[in-house]
Amino acid sequence: MGFFRDLSRQAKRMTSDEEFLGFIKVIESLVSKILSLAMVAVILISVVDLIISLGQDLFLHQPVGFFTTTIIKIFGFFLNILIALELLENITAYLKNHAVQVELVIITSLIAVARKIIILDLKEVTGLQLIGLAIAILALSISFLIVRFMNKRTHNGH
């Protein structure tokens, strides 16, 4: 009988808002740590993939020009790793501050759009797609300026 009474008390305590929010924070922290470890694995595998690709182009193939893989594809590899590093920084910042840092998210988005533009094959895109990319860049840039302005204003005490 005492077991059920203790279990009832535990359940009642867990239904309080403070206990529940504490439980949610623990879950958020655990998920963030798992995502961080997964992102580190993705980054390391991507770096190894880049090294293998560069090594094959430099040492195994008869170079035509310098790389058989187009330089644009190599830039794409580098930018993918940079985006992954930015995502890891976003997760790390969340673990430190327990808040999403909007400025970092916007910067990561700008890098992703820049990557798309750098590796873009102009023969395969329509004018409408280019306009869409231009609007995305403009919107992200304006968002970044607004967030940066608001952050500076908050730090300066206004």
Side-chain angles (χ1 to χ4, degrees):
M1 194 67 138
F3 171 75
F4 290 114
R5 194 175 340 188
D6 290 343
L7 187 61
S8 173
R9 287 181 188 152
Q10 286 279 32
K12 200 178 256 188
R13 200 166 9 118
M14 276 299 284
T15 59
S16 78
D17 289 346
E18 291 173 12
E19 289 288 327
F20 183 73
L21 290 174
F23 174 72
I24 294 296
K25 279 201 176 283
V26 168
I27 297 298
E28 285 178 349
S29 179
L30 180 65
V31 168
S32 296
K33 289 174 184 173
I34 291 169
L35 286 174
S36 294
L37 292 174
M39 190 56 66
V40 167
V42 166
I43 291 168
L44 292 175
I45 291 168
S46 297
V47 169
V48 169
D49 190 34
L50 175 64
I51 291 169
I52 289 170
S53 179
L54 285 173
Q56 286 176 342
D57 275 351
L58 289 173
F59 301 115
L60 297 180
H61 297 108
Q62 293 294 332
V64 178
F66 190 61
F67 292 106
T68 56
T69 305
T70 64
I71 198 78
I72 300 299
K73 186 176 176 185
I74 292 169
F75 286 164
F77 278 138
F78 276 99
L79 289 171
N80 282 343
I81 294 169
L82 180 62
I83 291 167
L85 285 170
E86 288 293 327
L87 288 172
L88 181 61
E89 187 175 338
N90 288 338
I91 296 168
T92 305
Y94 178 79
L95 280 169
K96 289 178 186 172
N97 304 326
H98 296 288
V100 175
Q101 293 189 351
V102 177
E103 193 172 327
L104 279 176
V105 173
I106 294 171
I107 290 170
T108 305
S109 301
L110 278 167
I111 293 170
V113 174
R115 178 202 176 275
K116 178 70 176 169
I117 290 171
I118 290 170
I119 65 169
L120 192 64
D121 184 359
L122 292 176
K123 296 174 189 164
E124 295 189 20
V125 293
T126 65
L128 194 58
Q129 289 171 323
L130 288 175
I131 291 170
L133 281 172
I135 291 170
I137 291 170
L138 183 63
L140 286 168
S141 299
I142 291 170
S143 299
F144 178 76
L145 288 173
I146 291 169
V147 169
R148 175 143 280 177
F149 174 75
M150 295 305 288
N151 286 343
K152 281 184 180 179
R153 198 170 164 184
T154 303
H155 291 344
N156 290 336
H158 289 95

